[in-house]
Amino acid sequence: QVQLVESGGGLVQAGDSLRLSCEASGRTFKSGAMGWFRQAPGKEREFVAVWSGDTPFYGDSVKGRFTISADNAKNTVFLQMNSLKPEDTAVYYCVLDRQPRRLWKSDEYAYWGQGTQVTVSS
């Protein structure tokens, strides 16, 4: 069993920053991929960023604004979110899988956190 716990969401104004954290516990894998998807009301899940091996991958909508990092010793990933826009408003979910084949597809990930709400007002 793997548990993922997110933290750091909140209500901010456009242009502000937030830092999300996700800690994995239980049976985790050093070689796995860990990162973030998001889902806004009425929209499908969207790939945000994933840390796989020792390299980050980003969705097009957040490149240049968000940065993912990892503390492997603590099985934790972070998402630094800068220059936030109202369009970033969503529930952000931490995800983990041993070896996803398509990092940008939500159904590749076996483990999901409960999500943390990020709301950006204009």
Side-chain angles (χ1 to χ4, degrees):
Q1 181 70 269
V2 174
Q3 294 174 294
L4 304 174
V5 180
E6 306 100 328
S7 62
L11 173 63
V12 298
Q13 292 184 321
D16 286 352
S17 298
L18 282 174
R19 190 189 192 217
L20 306 183
S21 299
C22 176
E23 183 178 2
S25 61
R27 290 191 173 186
T28 58
F29 308 100
K30 292 286 188 180
S31 61
M34 192 170 173
W36 303 88
F37 282 75
R38 67 186 183 186
Q39 187 165 25
K43 294 184 178 292
E44 295 184 351
R45 292 171 182 171
E46 179 185 19
F47 172 67
V48 177
V50 168
W51 182 264
S52 180
D54 294 315
T55 190
F57 300 88
Y58 298 98
D60 290 339
S61 64
V62 306
K63 288 180 179 177
R65 298 189 297 123
F66 293 6
T67 302
I68 189 170
S69 60
D71 183 341
N72 291 325
K74 295 186 176 183
N75 294 315
T76 301
V77 294
F78 307 93
L79 187 68
Q80 180 65 45
M81 309 164 69
N82 297 328
S83 301
L84 283 162
K85 305 174 181 179
E87 304 93 274
D88 296 316
T89 296
V91 177
Y92 284 70
Y93 295 95
C94 182
V95 298
L96 172 69
D97 202 272
R98 178 170 177 79
Q99 188 62 267
R101 293 180 292 275
R102 300 174 177 86
L103 298 176
W104 62 94
K105 291 190 175 294
S106 61
D107 59 5
E108 292 283 343
Y109 295 87
Y111 301 99
W112 291 69
Q114 294 299 306
T116 185
Q117 177 71 47
V118 172
T119 302
V120 184
S121 63
S122 60

